[in-house]
Amino acid sequence: MKTNKKAIVIGAGFSGLAAASVLASAGWEVEVLEKNASAGGRARVLKKDGFTFDMGPSWYWMPDVMEQFFNRFNSSASEHFELKRLEPSYQVIFDQNQTEVIPSNMEAINDLFESKEKGSSKKLKEFLDEAEVNYKVGMQQFVYKPSVSLMEFLKKDIFKASYKINLIRPFNKHVRRFFKSDQLIQLMEFPVLFLGAMPKKIPALYSLMNYADFKLGTWYPNGGMGMLVKGFIATAEKAGAKIHVNTPVLSFKIENKQIVGVETPQGFMEADVVISSADYHFTDQKLLPKEYSNYSEKYWEDRLMAPSCLIYYLGINKKLSKLQHHNLFFEQNFDSHAKAIYETPQFPEKPLYYVCCPSKTDDSVAPEGMENIFILIPIAPGLKETQEIRDKYYNDTMERLEKYCGESIKEHVVSYTDYAGADFISDYNAFKGNAYGLANTLNQTAVLKPSIINKKISNLFYTGQLTVPGPGVPPAIISGQVVADYVLEKFKK
């Protein structure tokens, strides 16, 4: 049913496209304004030299979140792409001579744990039983909340549910209640590496990530993560939203504490509501006049950010037999790298790194007989990386990768693109060049995150990784729906 309401959504990442889909399906006129040449935000696709590179997210976790989104619009993931569960899920390289392949079925996972620590399979079941509660309570009771008021969490059922989950205990202590093996501890702590803090500062609630890993599985949309973007674009456009690329928002026109429209290079566009899924700090500090900002620059400087990263997108003109689809290189010290990100921000001396090789699963992303890989090194946000630094880490990491694979790789690179903090700033206006938003610490959770509402302008709202529920593809999808539902409720006739 058509209304006379018009919304402008800034940014065509997952949160923006989700918000646009919800509003358009409710009959609103929706214009999505994307500064870049293609939609997808951090999940954009780079096509180069015959290769198709996913520029951002590569782990398809929590498939139930994506399925629920498509179901909301009488669709399904299978209508947009073929989804495969990876077997194995991934592999972890602990040293030159020890690689652990993480299987997709629990019986084999239990055997792996027992091989590391006798009795640990029973402990794993106990851990995952708790993690399942965290996942279900978190997903059903918490993450779909707009978090604009503490009162949302003081209702009897929510208050009761909070007792079932581990909000206070640190994640590292929680893991060590169950396991003693250093390798098992590293394996359990890996999913929180990108949540933005040392495991000792992440709430044990995030064991829900381990549940997502072992129980819900690691999946891959055939064609790459760009296929998920295409599914979201199709959903938004089918609902009636219009997506405009190469259309940055330059400024807001504000009258009587309301935005009446936005200025773009293509001209002025009117709006009854504006939802910004652009970088929150950029909107708050750069687009808005200071008197309308939600927060001060000091507030933002005091935020604990999740990592940025160095990324190398590489086309290799041969096959690499020792790589799986997902490869985690943990042959260096976990704590020293984490400290270089979170405690004493600096470039890590001997970083852990991740290699994604989707051509192991998908022939379409690389020419025949070749491999498509990207190498990702997490680094602290806000560092000043030069081309010399990018080259250094590329050369060092390639040397380590060649040593592990037991063959030359560097001389077989036929496509090379590097990407780092300055590119995140240029492409996404990312605060401090961050790649993963705010750290998911207890004091940056729910109502303690930057608010989805502007406190001084009645029709400006925020979505994306710097607000609730947080960073990652599933949270971004949820974030867009949360803010759109809030807007619909606020502006209903």
Side-chain angles (χ1 to χ4, degrees):
M1 184 178 71
K2 282 288 183 185
T3 73
N4 59 356
K5 299 291 186 186
K6 180 175 181 179
I8 286 176
V9 177
I10 306 172
F14 285 120
S15 63
L17 292 172
S21 299
V22 172
L23 292 181
S25 68
W28 285 48
E29 182 182 346
V30 181
E31 310 276 355
V32 182
L33 310 183
E34 168 58 48
K35 73 181 284 289
N36 291 311
S38 61
R42 283 165 166 77
R44 288 182 305 148
V45 171
L46 171 66
K47 289 185 178 289
K48 184 178 179 182
D49 303 321
F51 297 87
T52 301
F53 299 101
D54 285 323
M55 294 190 72
S58 59
W59 293 78
Y60 195 108
W61 272 7
M62 304 183 187
D64 52 317
V65 174
M66 291 71 151
E67 192 61 37
Q68 287 169 12
F69 172 80
F70 287 122
N71 290 169
R72 179 169 184 167
F73 304 98
N74 300 313
S75 182
S76 64
S78 62
E79 187 177 315
H80 301 283
F81 46 81
E82 178 191 359
L83 197 58
K84 301 176 181 178
R85 184 165 184 174
L86 297 185
E87 174 53 54
S89 295
Y90 52 93
Q91 68 176 0
V92 183
I93 296 88
F94 287 108
D95 60 47
Q96 185 63 30
N97 301 310
Q98 187 168 14
T99 297
E100 297 298 345
V101 175
I102 310 303
S104 64
N105 72 84
M106 280 308 303
E107 184 177 351
I109 291 171
N110 286 333
D111 290 342
L112 170 63
F113 271 65
E114 282 295 324
S115 73
K116 300 294 180 186
E117 182 181 322
K118 190 173 181 180
S120 61
S121 61
K122 182 180 178 183
K123 291 292 187 182
L124 178 61
K125 182 182 185 307
E126 294 173 8
F127 182 96
L128 291 178
D129 284 346
E130 283 193 27
E132 181 176 9
V133 173
N134 288 348
Y135 186 86
K136 291 182 175 178
V137 170
M139 297 301 289
Q140 293 169 10
Q141 302 283 1
F142 290 96
V143 299
Y144 283 90
K145 298 290 182 190
S147 298
V148 297
S149 168
L150 190 60
M151 294 303 295
E152 295 170 35
F153 300 94
L154 296 180
K155 295 177 182 178
K156 186 177 180 181
D157 57 333
I158 304 295
F159 200 67
K160 186 177 179 181
S162 67
Y163 279 97
K164 297 179 182 178
I165 60 178
N166 297 295
L167 278 173
I168 305 301
R169 185 185 304 133
F171 188 82
N172 67 325
K173 289 185 178 180
H174 182 64
V175 169
R176 285 162 178 78
R177 285 179 56 221
F178 295 87
F179 308 106
K180 293 183 174 61
S181 160
D182 287 342
Q183 290 188 354
L184 291 185
I185 289 169
Q186 273 194 293
L187 187 60
M188 300 304 285
E189 288 185 343
F190 123 74
V192 306
L193 182 64
F194 298 102
L195 291 178
M198 298 282 281
K200 66 185 179 183
K201 292 186 177 179
I202 295 287
L205 163 67
Y206 286 100
S207 66
L208 64 86
M209 300 288 285
N210 302 105
Y211 174 77
D213 179 0
F214 293 134
K215 289 288 192 176
L216 300 183
T218 302
W219 299 76
Y220 176 77
N222 206 38
M225 292 294 284
M227 297 302 294
L228 182 59
V229 174
K230 286 184 177 180
F232 270 67
I233 293 171
T235 301
E237 291 182 336
K238 185 177 180 180
K242 296 176 182 176
I243 301 170
H244 308 269
V245 297
N246 295 314
T247 309
V249 171
L250 304 176
S251 63
F252 299 124
K253 183 177 181 181
I254 302 169
E255 296 177 358
N256 299 320
K257 297 184 178 180
Q258 282 195 328
I259 294 176
V260 297
V262 303
E263 292 287 354
T264 77
Q266 288 80 3
F268 180 76
M269 301 180 72
E270 295 181 343
D272 297 302
V273 165
V274 174
I275 295 176
S276 177
S277 73
D279 181 89
Y280 198 135
H281 170 269
F282 175 76
T283 306
D284 191 57
Q285 297 294 306
K286 307 296 185 185
L287 280 183
L288 280 171
K290 287 294 183 185
E291 63 266 29
Y292 296 112
S293 296
N294 260 357
Y295 305 104
S296 66
E297 189 61 53
K298 182 181 185 305
Y299 169 91
W300 287 108
E301 288 297 330
D302 289 344
R303 295 312 92 194
L304 182 62
M305 304 303 295
S308 183
C309 50
L310 292 168
I311 308 175
Y312 305 94
Y313 305 102
L314 307 175
I316 315 294
N317 69 359
K318 67 175 183 176
K319 289 293 185 181
L320 302 174
S321 61
K322 290 193 73 173
L323 292 183
Q324 298 286 349
H325 188 123
H326 296 299
N327 309 268
L328 299 163
F329 285 81
F330 281 6
E331 18 41 317
Q332 301 297 332
N333 185 272
F334 183 97
D335 285 341
S336 63
H337 187 175
K339 286 176 182 175
I341 297 174
Y342 304 122
E343 294 188 352
T344 55
Q346 59 188 299
F347 286 100
E349 193 172 322
K350 295 181 178 178
L352 287 70
Y353 65 101
Y354 159 62
V355 176
C356 183
C357 187
S359 48
K360 291 295 178 188
T361 304
D362 185 355
D363 292 336
S364 74
V365 300
E368 186 176 357
M370 301 190 188
E371 298 282 32
N372 168 329
I373 72 173
F374 75 73
I375 299 171
L376 184 150
I377 304 170
I379 61 172
L383 300 179
K384 302 297 183 185
E385 85 280 339
T386 62
Q387 191 60 50
E388 183 181 5
I389 288 172
R390 295 188 190 206
D391 292 345
K392 174 191 181 303
Y393 280 94
Y394 172 68
N395 292 328
D396 291 351
T397 307
M398 286 298 281
E399 185 178 329
R400 288 164 60 186
L401 185 61
E402 287 182 332
K403 184 178 178 182
Y404 169 72
C405 290
E407 58 183 308
S408 63
I409 301 174
K410 191 175 178 181
E411 66 186 49
H412 293 275
V413 173
V414 293
S415 182
Y416 172 94
T417 305
D418 57 34
Y419 200 92
D423 301 297
F424 282 100
I425 294 171
S426 174
D427 288 350
Y428 312 119
N429 297 307
F431 181 48
K432 295 184 176 179
N434 82 85
Y436 301 100
L438 284 176
N440 275 327
T441 56
L442 186 58
N443 62 354
Q444 292 184 161
T445 297
V447 294
L448 300 178
K449 284 187 183 290
S451 176
I452 67 167
I453 63 174
N454 185 286
K455 302 163 188 175
K456 301 165 186 175
I457 298 176
S458 62
N459 63 340
L460 174 60
F461 305 87
Y462 304 88
T463 186
Q465 65 176 11
L466 291 180
T467 184
V468 293
V473 174
I477 293 168
I478 292 168
S479 182
Q481 295 176 82
V482 165
V483 74
D485 287 333
Y486 185 85
V487 167
L488 290 177
E489 180 63 25
K490 182 178 176 65
F491 289 88
K492 69 180 179 181
K493 290 182 178 180

